[in-house]
Amino acid sequence: MSSLIATSVSGLVEAVRQVTRRPSNWPEAADRVAGVLDRRLPSGAEVLAGLTTDPLTGVPGQDPARVRSQVLHVEPDGSFSVVALILRPGQETEIHDHVTWCAVAMIQGLEREERFVLEEPGNGTPGRLRSAGLSLSRPGEICAFAPPGDIHRVTNVGSGPSISINVYGTDVARVGSSVRRVYAEPEE
Ligand SMILES: [Fe+2]
């Protein structure tokens, strides 16, 4: 990671540090962080300039097979991480949920978020995934969520790269991913 991008999120990191010092449950932590996420967000250009070279392609941020995530900061005590998620036009995440709470700020582009709920299993049948609405997210929009009930899929529906800044309540480098599970497309 370049020192430029580390510097560009230093104010944000300090603000998150302040509001996560006090003990809280996941929804409270996510809301508190969302409340300070508009402070000193990096620009899209700063994030793109700070991408490390992709080991598969040798080109920064150009691995076409997967959503690009760039860890911008991991708090030394493991209490939170700051990650930029970058999607190419038309690219989408898998349907997934998360290992911990998250606060998200869009900083570039246009994304569509589809939400899903997992219906309770019953009478010997497994739980079924059901669509639960969608919304568009533009730069300046901030949201917070905490498991359970956090199953979603994000698609870049704009004409250029979309970038969001995500704060997760864990050390994503150590855990390996913010994703807890992925889900198959729900049947109609
Ligand atoms: Fe997600």
Side-chain angles (χ1 to χ4, degrees):
M1 191 193 324
S2 75
S3 59
L4 175 68
I5 190 65
T7 302
S8 74
V9 296
S10 61
L12 176 63
V13 165
E14 183 55 35
V16 173
R17 195 175 282 146
Q18 295 285 343
V19 296
T20 53
R21 269 197 187 123
R22 282 178 291 145
S24 63
N25 59 38
W26 280 0
E28 287 174 350
D31 284 343
R32 279 188 207 160
V33 171
V36 299
L37 210 48
D38 60 342
R39 297 181 199 171
R40 303 191 187 199
L41 282 167
S43 68
E46 285 174 322
V47 170
L48 292 174
L51 290 179
T52 52
T53 301
D54 192 288
L56 294 178
T57 65
V59 180
Q62 293 298 309
D63 174 6
R66 61 184 171 83
V67 172
R68 181 74 200 214
S69 80
Q70 178 74 47
V71 177
L72 304 179
H73 173 83
V74 175
E75 187 69 351
D77 67 3
S79 57
F80 68 89
S81 306
V82 183
V83 180
L85 291 179
I86 303 111
L87 279 75
R88 291 175 289 105
Q91 192 173 21
E92 63 184 20
T93 69
E94 297 187 272
I95 301 172
H96 65 278
D97 57 11
H98 311 84
V99 295
T100 185
W101 60 262
C102 183
V104 186
M106 275 291 289
I107 62 168
Q108 180 175 307
L110 180 65
E111 292 180 349
R112 179 185 66 212
E113 182 194 29
E114 301 164 86
R115 292 179 299 280
F116 302 87
V117 292
L118 191 60
E119 293 178 336
E120 290 292 321
N123 295 330
T125 58
R128 290 203 329 156
L129 202 61
R130 180 168 57 78
S131 180
L134 55 82
S135 60
L136 292 176
S137 186
R138 297 176 174 81
E141 292 188 19
I142 293 172
C143 67
F145 58 80
D150 59 322
I151 305 172
H152 72 167
R153 172 167 57 194
V154 179
T155 305
N156 180 351
V157 292
S159 57
S162 66
I163 307 175
S164 62
I165 300 298
N166 301 254
V167 181
Y168 298 104
T170 189
D171 178 344
V172 292
R174 184 171 60 81
V175 174
S177 171
S178 62
V179 173
R180 184 171 72 117
R181 287 181 301 192
V182 298
Y183 298 83
E185 185 79 25
E187 297 172 13
E188 293 302 322

